Amino acid sequence: MPQLTRNIFEELSDNIKGDVYTDTVRRYLHSTDGSIFRVEPACVIYPLDREDVLAVTAFATRYGLSIHSRGAGSGLCGSSVGRGIVLDFTKYMNKLIEIDSEGKTFTCQPGYRFGELEAELKGKNLFFPPDPSSGEYASFGGMYGTNASGAHSVKYGNVSDYIEDAEIVFSDGLVTTIKEIEQTPYDKLPPRFRRLFDLYERNRETIENGYPDVKYNVSGYNLRSLVEDGQLKLGKLLGGSEGTLAIVTRMTFRLHEKPPYDSLVVAYFDDIVKSAKAVQAVLPSGPSGIEIMDKSLLNLARESDEKLKKAIPEGIDNVLMIEYDGFDENETREKAEEAMKTVEHLTTEANVAASADEKAKFWAVRKAAVPILYKLQGRKKIIALIEDAAVPTDNLVEYFEGIYSLLEKHGCDFVIYGHIAKGLLHTRPLLDMKDPHDIDLLKILADELFELVSSLGGVVSGEHGDGRIRSTYVKDQYKDLYGCFMETKSILDGDFLLNPDIKTIHDPYQMQKFLRFGSDYGSRDLTGKMLVWNEGFTDEAEKCHGCSKCTTVTTATRMCPVFKATRDETAAPKAKANVLRALISGAIDNESLYEQAFQSVMNKCVNCGSCVMECPSNVNIPKLAIEAKGQYVKRVGAPLDKKIVSSCDLMGKYTHKVSPLIAASMKLKLNRKAMELVTGVSAERPFVSFKGKSLYERLDGREFGEGGDLKVVYFAGCYAGYINPEIGTSAVDVLEKLGCRVSVPEQVCCGVPFISKGMLEETRARIKKNLDKWGDMVKEADHVVVTCSSCGLSLLKEWAYMLSDDIISEIKEKTIHISTLVNRRLDRLDMKECGLKLAYHKSCHLRVQKDDNASVEMLGNIPGVEVEDMNSSCCGMAGSWGMMAENYETSAKIGEPMLRKLNAAHCDYGVTDCPTCTIQMEHMSDKKIKHPVEVLAQCLKD
């Protein structure tokens, strides 16, 4: 590789419309994927279009740099990392170009994601059959590159079975399409394709007979049927080539009509061999899928989830889920019942899941498999090492016995699950990737598994690809064909620039190189931490395994709203863990923490908390980001605009008397523009004013509900305190009628606006001030009641980040959302018929709390009230973050899906528990927005 300087990449920046990055932080973010590897690239590029890709190939050829195409970065084999240029298609080249419902095809760019297609096809009775477990966030470029499959591929096949056409760019700049090549006569083909044609014809017999008799095989290159009827067919060759032969910039795939019916057989076994025999018995009946989970996974499932504990019987060794689908309901059901009879002599229990709820319950167990495994505590983690081999289903019994024998011989704990109908088992050993012994075991286990699989007529790579972890076996897998593979690579990528470490490299120790951790990995704890870290700062940062679920862009998950809007890697939750791991491991120096590139990653976390809830490993990304932001603010200080927008309590206390006068002048956008220059608050936002009389003035320090049997402290928060005191007065009225003695002590901000910006000393000061003012009230109270979902999150969770006093634990135990308390004492309320239609939005901060459906439940119990839970995504406000001019456009984009639902709702009010959601909803809709307790108070009899 030539000596690299910034100058050559500046040359590249001048020639493409997309983004070019050479900074250390961005390169580190793209140095990992879902695998065990870490390879730092020289440059990261987000191409805008095909012309950008051509500019990159020309540049790479000129300077001898390798190119590594990247989709979601969810691959398990290390196929999307490399030392040259990482070409990330997910930021810009991520569009759906067309769906042809009549012709049953769709065309997309490589960064388009499977989950987006599913959402687009909803209601069209069409589907794309290959369904990898990472499908919600996997990109079609990555799926085609690895020739992905999934749980139902036993019936429907792999991604490359559905390719109709693709636009392909070769490393020397040639651009063509699959169809163009297919339709070109031999004598008019460009020279490279004639050479490829001739390669096949010379070796036709060797090629057609040289692959193991396994249907599911992505090992090496698929040269079978490369020439048919005198035409060169590139679709199956490029599918599964892992970006080593060409760069795909557009794809067209076939769709299928979606079968409306399915039936599921759930069968339990006391022996793994019996389940293998059961699979062999039912395969001729044509199931759409058969999944297996072994006892080790089932035991973990029981331990991790009470619902799963009830769903899975005790004392079983494994479970099979056998599914049939079709267009005739009776036929589908009959097939399932016949399958159950076929295997009942082998099972301890079997039944047909009758209802949709039952089916969903059992599939939930299977889908929970990997998340459960990633939550395992301790140094040993599940490793995607020997999880991709496939053998002929006739040899399943021997394969099971061989795997168990191999791993038990080495004293290695493991779990097994996967697509048994394909002869493909995901076998995950538990290894410590910082332990030299276990790193040595990587190669030992992989070598022995290869010998086992080869002896059974199988392949070492069944669906996830060869990557860095299995490419070394390609030569031994295909002794007669390896020369053809090398020639294919030479013909299509003559300079070996495209992902050169994959497929055509024969390095027996490659799987032990460039490890994310490895025996030489070391970490140092962050000194002078500002938060309480009982769980360990370094341990938390290292928990992220890079699966890329946090880059989901549909509403199937809420995480991460900023990534959904920007699709930039720095916004992904995993980016925070990645750069912090770089810091603690010494890959970047300590001073990097205070650099703009590092802090820009942290500042894209808006502390919504959704990623903690939805991450398979439950990595507390927001807390990690708060610590990093806090370290920066401690040294550099917080800018004035952040101090101003965070200090709502002080502004409310000292300016509420004159705020109505200021509000009148702020109706002029010119005045708001002037305010934007000082405060950073967007001029596009309506001025948020304080009421002339605060809640505390209205209540005048009194205690309410004398004689009540429950004593509560009401923490109103800044919004109910100064901006909309009617929430506070409604809350006190409701609490009094619930039989509560209500105290509303003097109080300041809960700290949420400060902690999210890293202003930790200000946060801690406000917590202490509240504790001082509350005195013994909390100890005497039964509950601390909140109406604001963000205040609730702060008291329940974030105060414990700041202080470890006993009183903090007591507040956490006693804090309760007002809707939860209402639901517990609902019989005490005398309500009238209201006749209201409501559209409810659940805030992110409420969603991550325990009783997150309390407000919907409460509103639904009011006579005459109809509540539509919009099941909406993030509103995009994220506290004061969305108020800022620099974030306004992103905030609006994040909120679009929720606001579309709100504007389409036929309702009297929009309803939410979150003050800043209220601000966004009022700003971007024509609905009047209320807090749930305001609605309830309105419906109480006098």
Side-chain angles (χ1 to χ4, degrees), residues 668-824:
L668 292 174
K669 189 172 182 180
L670 184 63
N671 290 340
R672 295 201 306 276
K673 196 68 183 175
M675 185 184 71
E676 179 183 310
L677 296 174
V678 178
T679 66
V681 173
S682 172
E684 300 300 320
R685 295 275 180 203
F687 179 72
V688 178
S689 78
F690 303 111
K691 290 292 176 69
K693 193 172 183 180
S694 73
L695 173 68
Y696 311 109
E697 291 170 322
R698 296 177 192 207
L699 299 181
D700 197 25
R702 289 174 292 154
E703 188 173 274
F704 297 84
E706 185 177 345
D709 65 328
L710 205 66
K711 187 167 185 178
V712 303
V713 172
Y714 173 43
F715 187 85
C718 301
Y719 191 81
Y722 297 103
I723 298 171
N724 187 3
E726 287 77 10
I727 294 174
T729 54
S730 296
V732 170
D733 185 31
V734 167
L735 289 168
E736 193 173 7
K737 287 181 169 62
L738 288 173
C740 299
R741 283 179 293 147
V742 188
S743 298
V744 186
E746 189 178 346
Q747 53 196 258
V748 295
C749 178
C750 68
V752 159
F754 297 93
I755 197 171
S756 64
K757 299 175 184 65
M759 299 163 66
L760 304 187
E761 291 306 326
E762 290 87 342
T763 307
R764 195 172 283 110
R766 278 165 170 75
I767 295 171
K768 289 179 178 178
K769 196 168 185 178
N770 278 318
L771 296 178
D772 290 343
K773 290 180 180 298
W774 296 1
D776 293 327
M777 284 184 186
V778 171
K779 292 182 180 178
E780 295 171 2
D782 296 291
H783 296 296
V784 177
V785 176
V786 295
T787 45
C788 169
S789 51
S790 296
C791 290
L793 179 70
S794 189
L795 271 62
L796 286 164
K797 192 171 186 178
E798 292 180 346
W799 282 18
Y801 294 174
M802 305 303 303
L803 297 168
S804 56
D805 300 348
D806 290 341
I807 188 65
I808 300 295
S809 299
E810 190 170 353
I811 289 171
K812 178 180 178 180
E813 291 301 316
K814 291 184 176 180
T815 295
I816 188 171
H817 192 281
I818 194 167
S819 299
T820 298
L821 188 58
V822 169
N823 292 334
R824 291 180 185 178

Side-chain angles (χ1 to χ4, degrees), residues 48 75 126 139 212 217 227 232 240 325 331 338 370 382 407 413 422 493 496 559 684 807 843 869 919:
L48 189 67
L126 295 171
S139 71
N217 176 8
V227 176
L232 188 62
D325 65 8
E331 181 184 351
E338 186 61 36
V370 174
I382 56 164
L407 290 162
D413 292 332
K422 297 159 46 177
D493 179 31
F496 280 62
M559 64 173 185
E684 300 300 320
I807 188 65
S843 73
D869 183 349
I919 293 170

Side-chain angles (χ1 to χ4, degrees), residues 194-207 483-484 487 491:
R194 288 203 301 273
R195 288 171 57 202
L196 193 61
F197 190 111
D198 294 343
L199 165 66
Y200 176 81
E201 291 295 354
R202 287 197 319 270
N203 299 280
R204 176 187 289 267
E205 186 174 347
T206 303
I207 290 170
C484 293
E487 190 174 347
I491 290 170

Side-chain angles (χ1 to χ4, degrees), residues 134-188:
S134 60
E136 189 61 50
Y137 45 94
S139 71
F140 278 98
M143 289 169 61
Y144 183 49
T146 57
N147 196 19
S149 57
H152 299 97
S153 54
V154 64
K155 176 176 180 178
Y156 291 108
N158 290 27
V159 169
S160 70
D161 295 319
Y162 295 85
I163 192 73
E164 284 281 290
D165 196 11
E167 180 181 78
I168 43 183
V169 175
F170 291 92
S171 57
D172 62 356
L174 175 70
V175 181
T176 186
T177 67
I178 289 174
K179 277 194 173 178
E180 184 179 346
I181 295 302
E182 285 181 359
Q183 294 167 1
T184 302
Y186 173 83
D187 59 341
K188 294 186 178 179

Side-chain angles (χ1 to χ4, degrees), residues 831-841 855-870 902 905-911 932 935-936 938-939:
M831 294 181 281
K832 60 189 178 186
E833 189 85 15
C834 269
L836 292 173
K837 291 184 177 180
L838 309 174
Y840 178 77
H841 165 65
S855 291
V856 171
E857 184 183 336
M858 180 189 80
L859 293 168
N861 283 320
I862 302 174
V865 167
E866 294 179 30
V867 188
E868 178 194 352
D869 183 349
M870 294 190 293
L902 177 62
H906 299 289
C907 64
D908 297 295
Y909 304 125
V911 184
V935 177
L936 177 61
Q938 178 182 331
C939 295

Side-chain angles (χ1 to χ4, degrees), residues 354-415:
S355 67
D357 285 345
E358 275 190 278
K359 294 171 192 172
K361 179 178 71 174
F362 287 112
W363 276 115
V365 179
R366 168 62 181 91
K367 288 181 179 179
V370 174
I372 288 166
L373 294 173
Y374 281 128
K375 288 183 176 73
L376 287 174
Q377 300 297 312
R379 290 175 62 93
K380 290 183 181 291
K381 306 295 182 185
I382 56 164
I383 301 298
L385 173 67
I386 59 175
E387 42 71 66
D388 205 32
V391 301
T393 52
D394 289 347
N395 295 335
L396 273 173
V397 172
E398 294 88 346
Y399 186 37
F400 269 122
E401 291 173 341
I403 285 179
Y404 273 71
S405 174
L406 188 162
L407 290 162
E408 287 171 358
K409 177 181 73 174
H410 291 288
C412 189
D413 292 332
F414 62 96
V415 294

